[in-house]
Amino acid sequence: MNQASVKIIASSTAGDTICAAAGRISTTQGTALEIYERSREKENNSSLIEKVCASGHTSTLEHQFFTVAFDNVSVCTEEFVIEFRLGSYTVQSRRYVDFAHAGFCIPPMPEELLPEYKAHMQSLFDAYSELLSLDIPKEDARYLLPYCFRSNFFCTMNARELLYMIHVMTQGRGAAFPELKQLGESLLEQIRRSFPNLPDILSRRLPKTAAPVLPDVPEIGDPSVFQAAIKTDTPSQNAAEILREAAQFNWTVLPEAVDIPAIIRSGRARELEMLHVQFTLKDLSLAAITHLVRHRIQTVLVPQVTQAALRQHYVLPETIRANPSAAAIYQKAFTETAVVLRKLCSAGLPAEAVQYFALAGNQLDVRCDMNGRELLHFMKLRTCNRAQWEIRACTVELLRTLRADCPEVYGYFGPSCFVSGGCPEGRLSCGKSAEVVARFSTQDISDSE
């Protein structure tokens, strides 16, 4: 098996020069370009950056960027890293890429448990391949992929956020998981080449968060099929009144002529940010959660992956339900995973290794808070015919609820073709824009697609 690794593959060329110039500009006479040019000639840039950061002005580090390649890491690591909101990520899609030969990570465990662990994980990849041979779409077959499967992705962060992530991986909640801690230590060693003393300076300023306490022999539920559902958690707001007042305050339009549809369709709908919606997605699969958390401008609470392995709720896609052979393979995989997990836990499987037994179809409850502008963006993407079916169904149901509360605002929310009058998907368009627009033009949104 290939070893998981992480490597900084690119960084902004100005490096310590721009960070040092940023550190000087608030207290130095001259223009921005003059200060930058002087900083190019200074030999004390590194010590200045350290001095500025030690006094708490760490925002100067945000002018330096690093691109990191995560190579053959587990998808558990991917889930952990993507929670850091001030990063950009590009991940191999499990909807379109065949992962039959992706391979899997092996966490530390007693030597005598390794044969059964390896055999079971390989059986899940074999079951995934069988589903593909039965013409089950990749986006549904992937629900059988165990969360030890290898993921590859790129991540770009500014230095401040990267140093914070490294701190959490090595000294915070990530330190409970050997894979995360090892990757964090590797990143720490690499970033010291650019900022030798900064990690220690920042670490002293960051909160010391304890690693989670994991049960030695956890209680594991019985595998059961659940369907994802969504509910709003915030009291109903008078969204139309809030939007009108915001538009009048901001003079987006003349106060006596507020046009809500025009605000929603504008390219700079700051007024929508005054609206907030909090909602809970119950029994959303780990696979579908990846389509949710990539939205950066939100607050999202996602329990650790271990909870999905312990809970043992899972999704059953219609394509598999309708195929008896596929359904038998699929449900056997979930049943046997729970059996093997119980057996290995009783035999001494470390608690931090339990997360690798979660399957992509296992489910968690997730809570989100979005402002109206991000919610509009979220719905434009996730009510689209091309969205993953599970997250699409939940988002359409959320939109129905919001339209019932305030049709004057949310009646204009929906997929891009409905909101903006055009499809942004290009050659990948579903080709049914007219039907989609007609569907979302009805107040309760018709069920036909």
Side-chain angles (χ1 to χ4, degrees), residues 219-243:
E219 183 178 342
I220 300 163
D222 293 321
S224 304
V225 173
F226 286 83
Q227 184 172 335
I230 193 165
K231 70 180 185 71
T232 55
D233 299 314
T234 47
S236 179
Q237 299 173 300
N238 190 338
E241 182 179 338
I242 292 172
L243 203 52

mmCIF file of all heavy atoms in Angstrom, residues 219-243:
data_model
loop_
_atom_site.group_PDB
_atom_site.id
_atom_site.type_symbol
_atom_site.label_atom_id
_atom_site.label_comp_id
_atom_site.label_asym_id
_atom_site.label_seq_id
_atom_site.Cartn_x
_atom_site.Cartn_y
_atom_site.Cartn_z
ATOM 1 N N GLU A 219 -19.997 1.406 21.714
ATOM 2 C CA GLU A 219 -21.264 0.737 21.418
ATOM 3 C C GLU A 219 -21.587 0.959 19.955
ATOM 4 O O GLU A 219 -21.603 2.090 19.469
ATOM 5 C CB GLU A 219 -22.377 1.320 22.301
ATOM 6 C CG GLU A 219 -23.713 0.634 22.097
ATOM 7 C CD GLU A 219 -24.795 1.185 23.010
ATOM 8 O OE1 GLU A 219 -24.434 1.833 24.016
ATOM 9 O OE2 GLU A 219 -25.978 0.959 22.715
ATOM 10 N N ILE A 220 -21.834 -0.126 19.243
ATOM 11 C CA ILE A 220 -22.051 -0.052 17.797
ATOM 12 C C ILE A 220 -23.494 -0.437 17.495
ATOM 13 O O ILE A 220 -23.978 -1.488 17.924
ATOM 14 C CB ILE A 220 -21.082 -0.987 17.056
ATOM 15 C CG1 ILE A 220 -19.633 -0.569 17.362
ATOM 16 C CG2 ILE A 220 -21.342 -0.971 15.556
ATOM 17 C CD1 ILE A 220 -18.618 -1.629 17.045
ATOM 18 N N GLY A 221 -24.199 0.430 16.779
ATOM 19 C CA GLY A 221 -25.601 0.195 16.479
ATOM 20 C C GLY A 221 -25.810 -0.900 15.458
ATOM 21 O O GLY A 221 -24.863 -1.414 14.852
ATOM 22 N N ASP A 222 -27.065 -1.266 15.257
ATOM 23 C CA ASP A 222 -27.425 -2.240 14.225
ATOM 24 C C ASP A 222 -27.671 -1.488 12.915
ATOM 25 O O ASP A 222 -28.368 -0.463 12.900
ATOM 26 C CB ASP A 222 -28.694 -2.993 14.617
ATOM 27 C CG ASP A 222 -28.481 -3.878 15.834
ATOM 28 O OD1 ASP A 222 -27.407 -4.497 15.934
ATOM 29 O OD2 ASP A 222 -29.375 -3.926 16.704
ATOM 30 N N PRO A 223 -27.114 -1.962 11.805
ATOM 31 C CA PRO A 223 -27.304 -1.270 10.529
ATOM 32 C C PRO A 223 -28.784 -1.120 10.186
ATOM 33 O O PRO A 223 -29.547 -2.093 10.223
ATOM 34 C CB PRO A 223 -26.588 -2.181 9.528
ATOM 35 C CG PRO A 223 -25.570 -2.902 10.341
ATOM 36 C CD PRO A 223 -26.209 -3.128 11.670
ATOM 37 N N SER A 224 -29.200 0.104 9.883
ATOM 38 C CA SER A 224 -30.601 0.392 9.573
ATOM 39 C C SER A 224 -30.669 1.449 8.488
ATOM 40 O O SER A 224 -29.871 2.383 8.463
ATOM 41 C CB SER A 224 -31.342 0.912 10.820
ATOM 42 O OG SER A 224 -31.239 0.001 11.886
ATOM 43 N N VAL A 225 -31.649 1.300 7.590
ATOM 44 C CA VAL A 225 -31.826 2.240 6.481
ATOM 45 C C VAL A 225 -32.657 3.432 6.950
ATOM 46 O O VAL A 225 -33.710 3.265 7.567
ATOM 47 C CB VAL A 225 -32.519 1.559 5.289
ATOM 48 C CG1 VAL A 225 -32.855 2.572 4.201
ATOM 49 C CG2 VAL A 225 -31.645 0.447 4.726
ATOM 50 N N PHE A 226 -32.162 4.628 6.645
ATOM 51 C CA PHE A 226 -32.901 5.849 6.940
ATOM 52 C C PHE A 226 -32.875 6.747 5.703
ATOM 53 O O PHE A 226 -31.956 6.678 4.893
ATOM 54 C CB PHE A 226 -32.276 6.606 8.121
ATOM 55 C CG PHE A 226 -32.548 5.968 9.459
ATOM 56 C CD1 PHE A 226 -31.758 4.921 9.908
ATOM 57 C CD2 PHE A 226 -33.593 6.412 10.247
ATOM 58 C CE1 PHE A 226 -31.995 4.326 11.139
ATOM 59 C CE2 PHE A 226 -33.840 5.833 11.480
ATOM 60 C CZ PHE A 226 -33.046 4.781 11.926
ATOM 61 N N GLN A 227 -33.901 7.588 5.598
ATOM 62 C CA GLN A 227 -33.964 8.546 4.498
ATOM 63 C C GLN A 227 -33.645 9.928 5.045
ATOM 64 O O GLN A 227 -34.140 10.321 6.106
ATOM 65 C CB GLN A 227 -35.356 8.556 3.868
ATOM 66 C CG GLN A 227 -35.466 9.476 2.654
ATOM 67 C CD GLN A 227 -36.801 9.318 1.942
ATOM 68 O OE1 GLN A 227 -37.435 8.266 2.041
ATOM 69 N NE2 GLN A 227 -37.225 10.347 1.235
ATOM 70 N N ALA A 228 -32.807 10.666 4.342
ATOM 71 C CA ALA A 228 -32.431 12.000 4.788
ATOM 72 C C ALA A 228 -33.653 12.906 4.865
ATOM 73 O O ALA A 228 -34.583 12.798 4.058
ATOM 74 C CB ALA A 228 -31.391 12.600 3.843
ATOM 75 N N ALA A 229 -33.683 13.773 5.863
ATOM 76 C CA ALA A 229 -34.778 14.726 6.036
ATOM 77 C C ALA A 229 -34.192 16.047 6.510
ATOM 78 O O ALA A 229 -33.076 16.100 7.032
ATOM 79 C CB ALA A 229 -35.793 14.195 7.044
ATOM 80 N N ILE A 230 -34.944 17.110 6.346
ATOM 81 C CA ILE A 230 -34.448 18.439 6.703
ATOM 82 C C ILE A 230 -35.514 19.201 7.459
ATOM 83 O O ILE A 230 -36.714 19.020 7.217
ATOM 84 C CB ILE A 230 -34.023 19.211 5.430
ATOM 85 C CG1 ILE A 230 -33.217 20.456 5.783
ATOM 86 C CG2 ILE A 230 -35.211 19.557 4.564
ATOM 87 C CD1 ILE A 230 -32.468 21.050 4.600
ATOM 88 N N LYS A 231 -35.067 20.014 8.424
ATOM 89 C CA LYS A 231 -36.013 20.872 9.137
ATOM 90 C C LYS A 231 -35.323 22.189 9.467
ATOM 91 O O LYS A 231 -34.116 22.237 9.696
ATOM 92 C CB LYS A 231 -36.523 20.207 10.414
ATOM 93 C CG LYS A 231 -35.520 20.065 11.536
ATOM 94 C CD LYS A 231 -36.159 19.379 12.734
ATOM 95 C CE LYS A 231 -35.196 19.332 13.931
ATOM 96 N NZ LYS A 231 -34.991 20.650 14.546
ATOM 97 N N THR A 232 -36.095 23.272 9.464
ATOM 98 C CA THR A 232 -35.553 24.571 9.843
ATOM 99 C C THR A 232 -35.569 24.676 11.358
ATOM 100 O O THR A 232 -36.483 24.188 12.023
ATOM 101 C CB THR A 232 -36.366 25.712 9.222
ATOM 102 O OG1 THR A 232 -37.747 25.553 9.578
ATOM 103 C CG2 THR A 232 -36.230 25.718 7.715
ATOM 104 N N ASP A 233 -34.547 25.334 11.918
ATOM 105 C CA ASP A 233 -34.411 25.438 13.366
ATOM 106 C C ASP A 233 -34.651 26.846 13.886
ATOM 107 O O ASP A 233 -34.867 27.038 15.080
ATOM 108 C CB ASP A 233 -32.994 25.004 13.783
ATOM 109 C CG ASP A 233 -32.703 23.560 13.392
ATOM 110 O OD1 ASP A 233 -33.564 22.713 13.636
ATOM 111 O OD2 ASP A 233 -31.623 23.297 12.833
ATOM 112 N N THR A 234 -34.585 27.847 13.023
ATOM 113 C CA THR A 234 -34.749 29.223 13.474
ATOM 114 C C THR A 234 -36.213 29.625 13.426
ATOM 115 O O THR A 234 -36.966 29.137 12.575
ATOM 116 C CB THR A 234 -33.933 30.179 12.583
ATOM 117 O OG1 THR A 234 -34.190 29.848 11.212
ATOM 118 C CG2 THR A 234 -32.453 30.057 12.858
ATOM 119 N N PRO A 235 -36.637 30.503 14.334
ATOM 120 C CA PRO A 235 -38.005 31.022 14.252
ATOM 121 C C PRO A 235 -38.231 31.713 12.918
ATOM 122 O O PRO A 235 -37.307 32.275 12.324
ATOM 123 C CB PRO A 235 -38.076 32.033 15.411
ATOM 124 C CG PRO A 235 -36.939 31.684 16.308
ATOM 125 C CD PRO A 235 -35.878 31.084 15.437
ATOM 126 N N SER A 236 -39.456 31.668 12.429
ATOM 127 C CA SER A 236 -39.764 32.279 11.145
ATOM 128 C C SER A 236 -39.490 33.786 11.199
ATOM 129 O O SER A 236 -39.928 34.479 12.105
ATOM 130 C CB SER A 236 -41.226 32.019 10.790
ATOM 131 O OG SER A 236 -41.548 32.624 9.567
ATOM 132 N N GLN A 237 -38.712 34.293 10.241
ATOM 133 C CA GLN A 237 -38.419 35.714 10.153
ATOM 134 C C GLN A 237 -39.368 36.376 9.153
ATOM 135 O O GLN A 237 -39.897 35.720 8.260
ATOM 136 C CB GLN A 237 -36.983 35.935 9.665
ATOM 137 C CG GLN A 237 -35.894 35.383 10.539
ATOM 138 C CD GLN A 237 -34.540 35.533 9.848
ATOM 139 O OE1 GLN A 237 -34.315 35.011 8.775
ATOM 140 N NE2 GLN A 237 -33.655 36.275 10.495
ATOM 141 N N ASN A 238 -39.557 37.669 9.324
ATOM 142 C CA ASN A 238 -40.257 38.409 8.283
ATOM 143 C C ASN A 238 -39.221 38.801 7.243
ATOM 144 O O ASN A 238 -38.712 39.931 7.219
ATOM 145 C CB ASN A 238 -40.954 39.640 8.870
ATOM 146 C CG ASN A 238 -41.894 40.277 7.856
ATOM 147 O OD1 ASN A 238 -41.743 40.094 6.639
ATOM 148 N ND2 ASN A 238 -42.856 41.028 8.345
ATOM 149 N N ALA A 239 -38.864 37.843 6.396
ATOM 150 C CA ALA A 239 -37.754 38.022 5.464
ATOM 151 C C ALA A 239 -37.988 39.186 4.518
ATOM 152 O O ALA A 239 -37.059 39.947 4.215
ATOM 153 C CB ALA A 239 -37.527 36.733 4.683
ATOM 154 N N ALA A 240 -39.229 39.364 4.048
ATOM 155 C CA ALA A 240 -39.504 40.443 3.097
ATOM 156 C C ALA A 240 -39.280 41.802 3.739
ATOM 157 O O ALA A 240 -38.685 42.700 3.128
ATOM 158 C CB ALA A 240 -40.931 40.318 2.573
ATOM 159 N N GLU A 241 -39.727 41.967 4.987
ATOM 160 C CA GLU A 241 -39.549 43.251 5.674
ATOM 161 C C GLU A 241 -38.069 43.535 5.925
ATOM 162 O O GLU A 241 -37.598 44.665 5.731
ATOM 163 C CB GLU A 241 -40.313 43.239 7.000
ATOM 164 C CG GLU A 241 -40.227 44.548 7.763
ATOM 165 C CD GLU A 241 -41.013 44.505 9.054
ATOM 166 O OE1 GLU A 241 -41.932 43.661 9.169
ATOM 167 O OE2 GLU A 241 -40.702 45.318 9.947
ATOM 168 N N ILE A 242 -37.326 42.504 6.352
ATOM 169 C CA ILE A 242 -35.885 42.669 6.590
ATOM 170 C C ILE A 242 -35.186 43.075 5.302
ATOM 171 O O ILE A 242 -34.329 43.965 5.289
ATOM 172 C CB ILE A 242 -35.287 41.360 7.146
ATOM 173 C CG1 ILE A 242 -35.816 41.093 8.557
ATOM 174 C CG2 ILE A 242 -33.754 41.427 7.159
ATOM 175 C CD1 ILE A 242 -35.433 39.724 9.100
ATOM 176 N N LEU A 243 -35.553 42.441 4.198
ATOM 177 C CA LEU A 243 -34.911 42.725 2.918
ATOM 178 C C LEU A 243 -35.244 44.143 2.446
ATOM 179 O O LEU A 243 -34.372 44.866 1.941
ATOM 180 C CB LEU A 243 -35.367 41.691 1.889
ATOM 181 C CG LEU A 243 -34.457 41.444 0.684
ATOM 182 C CD1 LEU A 243 -33.042 41.138 1.113
ATOM 183 C CD2 LEU A 243 -35.015 40.298 -0.155
#
